[in-house]
Amino acid sequence: MKKLLLLALCGAALLALGCKTPDEIEEDVRSGITTQEIVIKQELEREKRTLTVTGVGTMEIEPDVALVELSVSVQGATAEEAQALNGEVMSAVLLAIKENGILDENIKTRMVAVLPVRGVDKDAGDIVGYTAANTISITIIHVKRTGEIVSAAMQAGANELVSIEFHLQDETEAYREALAKAVEDA
């Protein structure tokens, strides 16, 4: 019984939207109208009964979290030497960051790599050393301290500031307000 009622409601909804019944479609096909033409006619009928509005809503809100990516990249004669040196420098960077109030849970390793360095002189292509790189991301809850924390990390040995992004920890309320403004504008 529930299935029949549901089908009846769907059928009524299709008719209300301007969709043709199977009998009407069959009649159109017999009169030489292609399926594509039927679909186009149905779409045009539906568009006649559609009202579309557009609105814009914006919010300017001060961010409450910063996401910073820093990298340490060093070279050594061997892969092991480059990795060891990178580990030492990264340990100093992590210590500086933690001394500035960043918790372990807000530090994530993004990338670790060891790559050969190739010569460019007469022996081009020969491996002349290795580069070890390590990139971390730091979530900074106290946004106003971002510059201070980045500076401490760079002084400790981070040699590349990959990116800084500012966000809201919870965008829900701002999104709702912007949406309300967009609806009002529309």
Side-chain angles (χ1 to χ4, degrees), residues 47-67:
E47 286 179 5
K48 286 181 186 176
R49 290 185 298 278
T50 301
L51 174 63
T52 303
V53 296
T54 303
V56 176
T58 59
M59 298 288 298
E60 287 190 30
I61 298 175
E62 193 170 316
D64 59 3
V65 67
L67 181 62

Side-chain angles (χ1 to χ4, degrees), residues 8-116:
L9 290 174
C10 290
L14 288 175
L15 289 174
L17 290 173
C19 295
K20 294 190 173 204
T21 66
D23 290 337
E24 290 173 323
I25 292 172
E26 189 176 320
E27 183 180 318
D28 283 344
V29 170
R30 272 190 255 127
S31 68
I33 297 176
T34 67
T35 306
Q36 185 177 13
E37 291 171 323
I38 294 169
V39 171
I40 291 171
K41 283 174 64 177
Q42 286 179 331
E43 184 62 23
L44 289 172
E45 283 298 315
R46 187 187 63 75
E47 286 179 5
K48 286 181 186 176
R49 290 185 298 278
T50 301
L51 174 63
T52 303
V53 296
T54 303
V56 176
T58 59
M59 298 288 298
E60 287 190 30
I61 298 175
E62 193 170 316
D64 59 3
V65 67
L67 181 62
V68 176
E69 286 197 12
L70 297 166
S71 189
V72 170
S73 181
V74 297
Q75 289 190 349
T78 66
E80 294 80 13
E81 181 182 313
Q83 284 179 304
L85 181 55
N86 187 281
E88 289 173 24
V89 175
M90 184 53 80
S91 291
V93 170
L94 291 171
L95 180 62
I97 291 168
K98 290 175 186 179
E99 285 176 348
N100 276 280
I102 302 299
L103 303 174
D104 284 336
E105 64 200 40
N106 291 329
I107 302 169
K108 305 258 187 288
T109 299
R110 290 289 178 214
M111 186 270 309
V112 176
V114 178
L115 304 168

Side-chain angles (χ1 to χ4, degrees), residues 167-181:
H167 302 277
L168 291 175
Q169 287 183 21
D170 183 7
E171 297 177 349
T172 307
E173 188 59 35
Y175 173 78
R176 285 184 182 146
E177 288 182 40
L179 184 60
K181 287 182 177 184

